[in-house]
Amino acid sequence: MPHTVEWKVRLHLFEDDEGATKAHVVLDTGTTALTGHGTAHCHPADRNVPEIGDELAAGRALQELAKQLLNTAERDIEGVGASRPSTRQAAGWPV
C-alpha cells in the first residue's frame, strides 16, 4: 500500500540588534516537531548583501535540522530491532 504524508516546514529569517542574520526552521510532522537554528554575520570589509546572509543562515538552520532528522531516523531504526548504520551515505559527487 502506498504511503503519502505531508510535513510542514516553517522558516523564519530576521536580523538581530547586532546585524547578524538569524534563521529558525521548524519541521512539523504532525506527531513531532524538530527545530534548527542558523546564524550568518557579514564581515565588516564585505559589501552587505542581505540575500547572502539569508541563504547562509537558512542553509545552516536546515543543516542542523537535517542532522536531527537523521539521528531520529537512526534511533527509530534501532527501535525496530535493526542495527544502526556504521556510516551515513554521502550526498553529492565524490571528491
Side-chain angles (χ1 to χ4, degrees), residues 9 11 23 25 36-38 57-67:
V9 178
L11 175 63
V25 63
H37 298 88
R60 291 170 179 160
L62 289 166
Q63 267 186 327
E64 182 181 311
L65 180 67
K67 288 178 187 177

Side-chain angles (χ1 to χ4, degrees), residues 28-50:
D28 182 358
T29 69
T31 57
T32 302
L34 298 173
T35 62
H37 298 88
T39 303
H41 304 272
C42 184
H43 188 279
D46 292 339
R47 195 173 100 221
N48 186 14
V49 182

Side-chain angles (χ1 to χ4, degrees), residues 5 14 20 48 74 86 88:
V5 65
F14 55 95
N48 186 14
E74 288 174 356
S86 58
R88 289 195 175 137

Side-chain angles (χ1 to χ4, degrees), residues 12 35 69 75 78:
H12 305 276
T35 62
L69 191 56
R75 283 192 305 273
E78 288 177 335

Side-chain angles (χ1 to χ4, degrees), residues 66-87:
K67 288 178 187 177
Q68 290 178 44
L69 191 56
L70 289 168
N71 287 335
T72 299
E74 288 174 356
R75 283 192 305 273
D76 290 346
I77 289 168
E78 288 177 335
V80 295
S83 61
R84 179 179 279 222
S86 58
T87 60

